[in-house]
Amino acid sequence: MPRLCDRAFEILAAEVKRLCGSDPLQKVRQDIVLKRLERFRSVEGPPLTLAEMRQAVEDIFPEFSEKVLKRAAKANGVAVVQRQLGCVGVTALGLVGLTGAVWLLNLPYPMIRWPVARVAPIVLLPSFIRMDRDYRQTVSLVAQADQLVNQATSAQDIELGNEKVTQAQEHLDGLPVWFLGYYPRTYCTFASCTWRFTFDEFQTARSEVGRMEARVFQEKNSQDLLQTATATVETAKQTYRTSQEPSAKTAALVAWQSGMDKLNEIPAETLAGRMAQTKLAAYSRDYEQVAGSVAGSTRSNTLIGAAREFALTAAQEGQNPPHNADTWRRIAALWEQAIDRLEQVPVEDAGYTEAQRLLANYTKNLGIVESKVSAEEDSARALESAEAKTQELLAQNLEGVAPNQIASELQGITNDLGRVQSGTTSHQKAQEMLRSAEEKLKQLNR
């Protein structure tokens, strides 16, 4: 590299010529300085500094411009930098070119790689390194994915296994199928290769990855169905617990059963299927308990409702007493029907307590009706006896009968009429006959 670049020489030479002008006497000074500068221009070495430039001209031209010297020194330094950068650029360009050539020769095309592999396999070192890495990663990731997907214990295992399957597929795609069976001996002598690219091995890995991708897809669908079914059942259980209306409870039970049906649809061979069977067992147990309670409640409600209908009819029949014995017996039969329905309510049913409360009330009512039947029958018999005795008395010739005997027969009639109970159908007639008999007794006693 010359010590003085062309641009710096031109700057200094222009200043020398300016100072000399057209005076012939100055020609000698001009030639001396220019020859010095030419020598620096042709000599290789470190670039000329500002001090060296000043020393080269100031003994001949003391008046030489300092500003021009600085401009020349700056131009000389820039030129040096440009030369250095130029060298670096050439080197970089060479490296880029070399890198591009290596990249081109490592393209995954048989027509490029096969000739290079036969002539200069070392050029394919990047490809060998990548293939070695892809092979090792494929083997490792397939093993990890197999454990996570096929032996999954949780949904997180499936998610992580899916990531491993995706990574294994990427590395498997990086293995050039056309290069199967090729063994780069030069590379493997110092890299300790443990792989052999065989078609069977490649196909096995590809098939395994494909199966795991399908398994992951199935597992994800099953997990979605599991979440949906579980949410349906949990919502139905909550609705059943909080609802007060029977219709809302019935709808909740229907949704509950629908959720369990969805759990049954999940394939049993999947992780979600195994989890679904566990949940289904618990949900079914709870459902049977609730459904049994509902069935018992429905049965109790039906029996209690029927009992109430018989009781209502009996109460309506018993209005506006008195009634004859047949009517009271019919009313008693209605109460017995109501009691029979209540006695059919099982102890374990939810309506058992209500049934017992009504049973106690209906039994009391039945007792009252039965006492009325007895009172009607007794009163009717007493009235019939009194009427019969009255007919016998009237059939006699009272003029030939002693007063004491008549009084005795009237007293018998009065006694029979006294046994007629109030509130019976015979009571009013018995009272009329009783007043008549008592009046006659008074007359006899006068």
Side-chain angles (χ1 to χ4, degrees):
M1 180 185 300
R3 300 194 65 191
L4 185 64
C5 68
D6 294 340
R7 177 58 183 161
F9 174 80
E10 292 173 358
I11 294 173
L12 295 173
E15 180 62 17
V16 168
K17 291 176 181 179
R18 186 188 68 79
L19 292 175
C20 292
S22 58
D23 186 355
L25 297 178
Q26 300 296 327
K27 187 73 167 66
V28 177
R29 291 200 305 167
Q30 177 178 320
D31 292 341
I32 294 172
V33 173
L34 290 179
K35 285 180 180 181
R36 290 179 182 176
L37 297 177
E38 281 288 353
R39 188 166 56 253
F40 287 125
R41 190 180 181 186
S42 59
V43 175
E44 296 290 332
L48 207 62
T49 63
L50 176 60
E52 289 175 330
M53 290 182 186
R54 186 182 300 110
Q55 184 179 0
V57 299
E58 68 177 357
D59 59 334
I60 304 300
F61 291 100
E63 71 278 18
F64 203 92
S65 173
E66 184 68 18
K67 184 182 296 185
V68 172
L69 287 172
K70 291 180 179 180
R71 282 177 54 207
K74 182 178 180 181
N76 197 44
V78 170
V80 172
V81 173
Q82 288 177 344
R83 287 193 188 97
Q84 292 175 345
L85 290 177
C87 292
V88 173
V90 171
T91 303
L93 184 61
L95 291 175
V96 170
L98 180 60
T99 303
V102 173
W103 173 81
L104 179 64
L105 295 176
N106 278 272
L107 288 175
Y109 301 113
M111 68 286 295
I112 296 177
R113 283 195 181 180
W114 276 120
V116 177
R118 289 195 299 269
V119 177
I122 195 64
V123 176
L124 297 179
L125 182 61
S127 295
F128 297 151
I129 294 174
R130 178 176 177 81
M131 285 189 292
D132 189 19
R133 177 176 175 273
D134 286 335
Y135 178 83
R136 294 173 187 272
Q137 289 296 319
T138 298
V139 172
S140 174
L141 290 170
V142 167
Q144 295 178 44
D146 177 69
Q147 178 66 28
L148 290 170
V149 174
N150 296 322
Q151 305 296 329
T153 58
S154 65
Q156 289 74 18
D157 288 351
I158 299 299
E159 290 296 330
L160 183 57
N162 184 39
E163 295 178 6
K164 298 298 181 182
V165 169
T166 302
Q167 294 172 8
Q169 182 66 63
E170 293 175 355
H171 288 291
L172 196 60
D173 291 340
L175 298 176
V177 181
W178 60 270
F179 226 41
L180 297 179
Y182 178 75
Y183 183 61
R185 293 179 178 83
T186 304
Y187 168 75
C188 290
T189 54
F190 60 86
S192 300
C193 297
T194 58
W195 44 270
R196 301 289 188 276
F197 289 143
T198 64
F199 186 77
D200 290 341
E201 183 181 18
F202 183 84
Q203 286 294 94
T204 300
R206 179 73 73 184
S207 300
E208 187 65 23
V209 169
R211 282 194 297 270
M212 286 189 289
E213 285 180 336
R215 182 64 180 271
V216 168
F217 179 78
Q218 186 182 33
E219 287 285 356
K220 284 187 174 181
N221 287 341
S222 299
Q223 288 290 337
D224 292 341
L225 187 57
L226 174 63
Q227 293 177 2
T228 301
T230 301
T232 299
V233 174
E234 292 296 338
T235 301
K237 291 175 66 177
Q238 181 65 24
T239 302
Y240 181 84
R241 284 193 295 266
T242 57
S243 298
Q244 301 298 327
E245 295 296 327
S247 59
K249 287 184 175 291
T250 301
L253 289 176
V254 173
W256 192 334
Q257 183 63 56
S258 175
M260 292 193 296
D261 291 341
K262 291 180 181 178
L263 289 176
N264 272 321
E265 296 174 4
I266 301 175
E269 63 274 9
T270 62
L271 171 64
R274 296 192 295 272
M275 297 172 65
Q277 292 304 311
T278 303
K279 290 179 175 291
L280 186 61
Y283 290 157
S284 298
R285 182 185 65 248
D286 296 342
Y287 181 83
E288 290 174 0
Q289 293 177 353
V290 171
S293 175
V294 171
S297 177
T298 302
R299 179 174 59 244
S300 300
N301 291 337
T302 301
L303 292 171
I304 292 174
R308 290 182 188 277
E309 289 296 326
F310 281 108
L312 178 61
T313 304
Q316 291 174 346
E317 289 286 332
Q319 291 178 356
N320 302 318
H323 302 296
N324 58 38
D326 291 336
T327 301
W328 285 120
R329 278 191 287 270
R330 186 170 63 252
I331 294 173
L334 291 172
W335 284 115
E336 288 174 351
Q337 290 289 338
I339 291 172
D340 179 67
R341 299 302 187 278
L342 294 176
E343 288 177 341
Q344 295 180 37
V345 177
V347 177
E348 63 272 11
D349 283 2
Y352 180 77
T353 302
E354 175 66 13
Q356 292 302 303
R357 185 184 67 80
L358 293 176
L359 183 61
N361 187 33
Y362 292 176
T363 302
K364 180 186 72 173
N365 293 341
L366 176 62
I368 293 173
V369 171
E370 288 177 341
S371 64
K372 289 185 177 294
V373 171
S374 178
E376 280 290 337
E377 291 176 344
D378 293 343
S379 297
R381 285 194 295 269
L383 180 61
E384 289 176 359
S385 177
E387 287 179 338
K389 291 178 180 179
T390 301
Q391 292 298 327
E392 290 178 359
L393 179 62
L394 294 176
Q396 297 179 20
N397 184 3
L398 298 179
E399 293 179 357
V401 179
N404 292 337
Q405 183 178 353
I406 294 173
S408 176
E409 291 181 359
L410 286 174
Q411 186 63 49
I413 293 172
T414 302
N415 293 337
D416 289 339
L417 292 174
R419 293 199 302 272
V420 175
Q421 301 178 28
S422 63
T424 63
T425 55
S426 302
H427 184 260
Q428 184 177 358
K429 186 175 182 180
Q431 291 297 311
E432 293 174 355
M433 292 177 65
L434 182 61
R435 285 194 294 272
S436 176
E438 290 176 348
E439 183 66 26
K440 290 179 180 179
L441 281 174
K442 291 178 180 179
Q443 293 175 0
L444 290 174
N445 293 328
R446 289 177 184 171

